[in-house]
DNA sequence: TGTTTATATGCTCAGATGAAAATATCAATA
DNA sequence: TATTGATATTTTCATCTGAGCATATAAACA
């Protein structure tokens, strides 16, 4: 669970790759169509697609001489689930973080616990 | 909105940094305490902390000669929200992706629609 | 039919460039 | 002195390009 997320997070770190994922969320595209929309060579785009594929974020469907790149939502979900762990800090469910912080800071000079 | 996510995604790409965030979700820690738990030097941990701070994922609260590193959930949320766009593909809300893919592949040799 | 020839599409490799990760060492601060 | 920050340096990794090669389709010719 944790290991699978690494490939996804690595893939998501690059803005070009995130833009590719956005495009693929609208329609499945060949590498030629994709590379036309980015200011870089096909080879560079291909490397991004490889990293996305290694991360499990897209799959390739071969059709004749065309290779159609398709979004693989499950791969993105693995990163989503990792981040989701922190949603306890957003909705006020466990929003005492700030208090704890400030309490620590002020009481730290008084006493040292544990 | 999109620009802010870059710093967060960059920070989340490294497993050490994600582990640090996990530790900070339990308690606020100084760099000394953190670096004791990782097989690298304090300087290396410090750089990770800097990147986390640049990405807005943690904040530093100075307390005497100690600097307490605190989780900043809002920073993580920016990445979360970007990924959340794709949740339409998980819950079956718009889960026709697979169909479209396969239909494309097979009907591509027959006809070209839109 | 069958076989070239051309074109479109895409992959892979070697290499240049720059960024990131980690270390060792020195400086700053309470 | 103890804790932390900052800098210079090395090593590793990421990104991108250019050139060359491979394959599928389509057209041209026997």
């Amino acid at each position: 669970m944790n290991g699978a997320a690494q490939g996804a997070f690595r893939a998501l770190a690059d803005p070009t790759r995130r833009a590719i994922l956005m495009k693929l969320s609208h329609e499945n595209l060949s590498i030629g169509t994709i590379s036309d929309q980015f200011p870089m060579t096909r080879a560079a785009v291909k490397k991004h697609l490889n990293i996305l594929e290694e991360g499990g974020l897209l799959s390739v469907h071969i059709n004749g001489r065309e290779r159609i790149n398709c979004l693989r939502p499950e791969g993105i979900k693995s990163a989503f689930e990792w981040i989701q762990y922190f949603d306890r800090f957003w909705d006020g469910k466990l929003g005492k973080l700030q208090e704890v912080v400030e309490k620590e800071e002020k009481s730290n000079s008084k006493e040292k616990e544990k």
Side-chain angles (χ1 to χ4, degrees), chain A:
Chain A
M1 284 197 176
N2 224 337
Q6 174 54 28
F9 276 117
R10 179 200 173 209
L12 289 170
D14 186 276
T16 298
R17 290 193 286 266
R18 292 202 304 280
I20 290 173
L21 289 177
M22 276 295 179
K23 290 185 186 300
L24 291 182
S25 76
H26 295 105
E27 52 179 339
N28 305 309
L29 298 166
S30 66
I31 184 176
T33 311
I34 296 173
S35 63
D36 286 348
Q37 305 177 52
F38 289 93
M40 63 185 70
T41 63
R42 232 190 321 273
V45 170
K46 174 59 182 168
K47 293 206 171 176
H48 285 305
L49 292 177
N50 283 341
I51 292 172
L52 286 167
E53 195 176 3
E54 286 167 18
L57 277 63
L58 69 77
S59 59
V60 179
H61 295 240
I62 300 171
N63 180 28
R65 69 178 155 190
E66 284 194 337
R67 275 119 208 261
I68 304 175
N69 298 276
C70 309
L71 188 70
R72 230 180 69 87
E74 312 90 66
I76 303 179
K77 195 173 186 181
S78 69
F80 183 83
E81 286 170 349
W82 190 93
I83 296 184
Q84 206 169 27
Y85 163 83
F86 292 91
D87 86 334
R88 70 186 65 180
F89 302 107
W90 303 327
D91 302 356
K93 295 172 193 168
L94 209 125
K96 305 190 301 175
L97 185 69
Q98 293 296 347
E99 303 172 29
V100 177
V101 172
E102 286 154 23
K103 187 180 155 198
E104 274 273 328
E105 287 181 14
K106 286 166 187 166
S107 72
N108 219 351
S109 49
K110 298 181 203 166
E111 55 185 357
K112 189 84 178 185
E113 52 184 2
K114 204 178 9 286

